[in-house]
Amino acid sequence: MARNILSMEDITKVYPNGFVANKNVNLSVNEGEIHALIGENGAGKSTLMKILFGVEKADEGKILLNGEEIQIDNPNVAIGHGIGMVHQHFMLVPSLTVAENVVVGMEPKTNGFFSMEKTIKITKEASELYNFKVDPRSKIKDLTVGMKQKVEILKALVRGAKILILDEPTAVLTPQETTELFKELKGLKEKGYTIIFISHKLNEIIELCDRITIMRDGKIVGVEKVGKITEQDISRMMVGRDIILEVIKEKAKPKQPVLNIQNIIKYSTPEKKILNDVSFIVRSGEILGIAGVEGNGQKELSEIITGMDESYDGEISINDTNIKKLSIRDIRELGVSHISEDRMTYGIVGDGTIAENMISDRYYKKKYQKGFLLNFEKIKKESKELIEMFNVKCDGHKQPINMLSGGNMQKVVAAREFTSGSTLVIANQPTRGIDVGASSFIRNKLIELRDQGDAILLISADLNEVLEVSDSLIVMNNGEIAAYFEDAKLVNEDELGEYMLGLKRMTDEEIRRVADVK
Amino acid sequence: MLSRMTNKNNVEKQFEILRTLVAIAIALSIAFIIILLISDNPINALASFVIGPLTTTRRLGNIVEALIPLLFTGTAVSLIFSANQTNLAVEGAFFIGGVGASFMATQLNLPPGIHLVVALIVAGIIGALACGIPAILYIKFDARPVVSSLMVNYVCLYLGLAVINHVIRDPAAGFLASFKFNKTAVLPKIIKGTNVHFGIFLGIIIVILGYLYLYKYKKGYEIRMVGKNVDFAKYSGINVNSVLMSAQLLGGFIAGMGGAVEVLGMYNRFQYQKLTGHGFDGILVGIIAKNNPKLVPLTALFLAYIRVGADVMSRVSDIPIELVSIIQAIIIMFVVAERFLYKLKHKKIVSLSRNEINEKEEIVNG
Amino acid sequence: MDNLLKAIFSAEFVYSIIRVTTPLLFAGLAALIANKGGVLHIAYEGIMVTAAFCGVVGSAYSQSLLVGLLSGLAGGLLISFLLGYFSLILRADRTLTGIALNTFASGGTVFMLYVLTNDKGLSTSLNSLTFPIVNIPIIKNIPILGTALSGHNVLTYVSFICVFLVFVVLYKTPFGLRIRTVGENEDAASSVGVKVIRVKFITLLISGAIASLGGVYMSMGYLSWFARDMIAGRGFMGIAAQNLGGEPLSTMIAALFFGLANALSNVLQTLNIPAEFVQVIPYVATLIGLAAYSGSMKRNKINKKS
């Protein structure tokens, strides 16, 4: 019978900025199972696992291992109890070898000195035992993502982990690598290991896992056996209601081309092209969506279009102006707005006030000056209007933005980018990690802008979003356009998946249609 | 719920102020303890340290005299540190600015007033160059400004001394010093019985202009945004390199001018043989003022006061003036220590958040 | 000019390079190990001046070299400890804390000097000791080479041995692997239970001990007394040396280069060239070195990108 190996009881965690990440959370894991922990971005999964692994401290609650309460103050203690974690961002040192990375913290010694020989032997034996094919002497920086992940798992196993936590392990993997990973994980399960698998990909969970715990808003909303629950049930629990992303919009009436991209090539390393001959056109009054697994060139593309990256080959024109030699401000002055996929790095200045965040693209314009100085009356008035218009829940325009929730921060970003008098909007993951209400608000705003004649490029990893909001759709895979659908409404989801994962590709002629001036 | 957010804002702000006050209190307590331990007559020493500066007009004047250069370097540091550049060349800029002004004041013959203005501007330009070197090395070559600016300080020192000791040295002075400044270039004294000079007005003007520039002018907004999040600034279309450059040139200009005001206001010839420390004092002033020129006068006054206090004390007792360095160091360390008093703050915020959750639940349940 | 060439192409000149390199090498190695552990700071000036002062006082009052050495180390480690406590435990900015500690040490040593001797400039009234000169057998008898390499202060030889020791610590000990891991990716280290703060703290203390030796050398070898602010930027130059070097051996070469510039300035001074122009050489050289080194790194990065 299933025996409980680990439970977390009544865990509450409040971050220093006041954000409540976990609220009275209970998690119970059985020995030898693959247990899925699922929830939207920001539901509290990662925090819960960080507490389990001793990276964060819970403000309240306790952890029981084999029925006994344990204190996990730091990762060392967790490792000592046989808990290992593979983080979403790899915890590896690029300039060191695989073997050095595997043993750091438990270095083998000869006469008190660090023994490279033993280090390599340990690594070799472990990788053979678990059938991981990694070369102990390679440097981490020369490995593929899939290999790096194996090193991470190896690190945990060598340290005697019996319970493995994997934080969204497939997010960075190719389909082949994912298949391989699942094979390895099932092998570990057979050997008696317990695995906690964090994900928000339902199909993977159903394929791999035994039981599933669903989190929402920092709380547990359900614990179920896989197979006894449908995908619809799970998604309903995750987001609190059925996903009906029925976006209401009229049919697009595209006019003249605004963004014209021809033959863009960009190298990420001297050998690897991250963008390979990408061409397309976005016209006034339409939303062109880009679907694709993250890391297939979408980020680079949006950075090139907005002027943040100038090293590329090919031609880009916006409103018939070639942007090659233009600065970011010049490009913005051409009428380009940009929602970056990395909100905390590019989208906002966390220490700034809401007003300071709202005016960063326009503060220098004449109407914001009063004599030599900035016109603070005007800035205050406009900020207040924008707060109202974009329904930002806050304390006033002078509140520091990092006091707001993610959704409200993104509304501030949207308030700035959607009111700049744009003709072209580059929206990269505009609703990532924010609540349902804010998401639908931002989607509707995009459609509103389209109806006012803006050209909109919507890049999203959220299939629902990219299918419902876009008028036409391209799919990116491996730095290339893999498919073009003139009408996003007619796209079959299964088919889309095959294009995204590189299983299928349209002919060049079919794809080329997106770059033709009609 | 909204009021709760305000509370959290306030908690942050309150703790910033509390930390500064506690830092000052700790530093002064340590100073008092040192005095008690070392002095043969601690009561006398303490009294002269605390009240000494207020006892005579001359000493009150000393406070203002010590305050003036700090207004310049404090404002300069505020500008540079607001751009999040740890450029320490303010020290060298102050020194070489003084040298530049001395050169102009000894070599030129211009009408009164104009001569002074020319000397100040030349000093400012030289100071700007000093602070500009680390800026260029960072922008063009990615060299960390901390190390390069420290080197620049020494370059300023030795080049400055070369000018003083070989170009404008007065062999008749009897010690290593420049010729006497022409009267036309000197800042007039304004209070009898003290050395308080016209530079106090210039200092106040610089503080006001610095504040307006940094907090009310579009260029200042750019500096602050670049300092807080350089990626965001770039993304928003701000020309980051030009902002970094202008913040540091401007800071250097002010520091250089400060050096000029100091030598032309306080002395009749240039007589430093080493770096003066005014730039590093400016860093202390800037840090306590949270890089806001508005608070520079207050923090500069505080520093000037303990300086004069320690000076008085060193004259009437057996405690050397270097005690100030110890006080200064302790204050900086506690003010920049983020985690100092952190537990207290975290508890407060957690309890506020908990109330918030409970309120939400009540709304949901009720 | 003839005099100049004669002065430069002499065994004595090489001797003087090695002599003035010693404190720079200590500072450079201290900065190197700190940089590998991700805790590079600018408080070496303060550490060195404190060590120089404490060494003199310790040896003067005990008339024991060992006590002098130990008190010098203790003084330097105290500053390192304060830096570690404030920057690692209380999360203070390392550069600003470093500035504060340099101020503290510079003022504090003069303060204590005055309390002990009633003098604010020099410690000559204290009867402090110096470390002995070591003549290397065999080598000392070789002409030229003997003059250049033999007869240095024992701490000079220690500084060159430290190049090897630092290499061993970094690359041949378990702790060295941890230092390098923490320095390059803290999260990687903490994810396998390496106590990052502890590793950083110990790295700071090791680094502080090395720098302290440089300070002790200044007042008990290079000179035989303590003078206020006698480090005069050597700690900063050490940072520049590790910046140019990057590894133990190359840091030594960079330190020798700065030593050469220093020694040259000493020689030129005696030849009636304005001293200031010569004194400025090492700092200008450092600036150029910084630009060249950082510039080449930047170009590499760009090349990789495109």
Side-chain angles (χ1 to χ4, degrees), chain B residues 217-238:
Chain B
Y217 183 50
K218 60 185 177 185
K219 295 285 175 194
Y221 171 82
E222 288 176 348
I223 290 174
R224 288 183 297 116
M225 293 306 115
V226 167
K228 286 174 174 178
N229 182 349
V230 65
D231 294 310
F232 167 82
K234 188 182 161 211
Y235 152 96
S236 299
I238 294 172

Side-chain angles (χ1 to χ4, degrees), chain C residues 276-295:
Chain C
E276 294 85 2
F277 285 118
V278 187
Q279 283 166 315
V280 84
I281 289 173
Y283 304 102
V284 174
T286 308
L287 280 173
I288 294 169
L290 273 175
Y293 171 78
S294 310

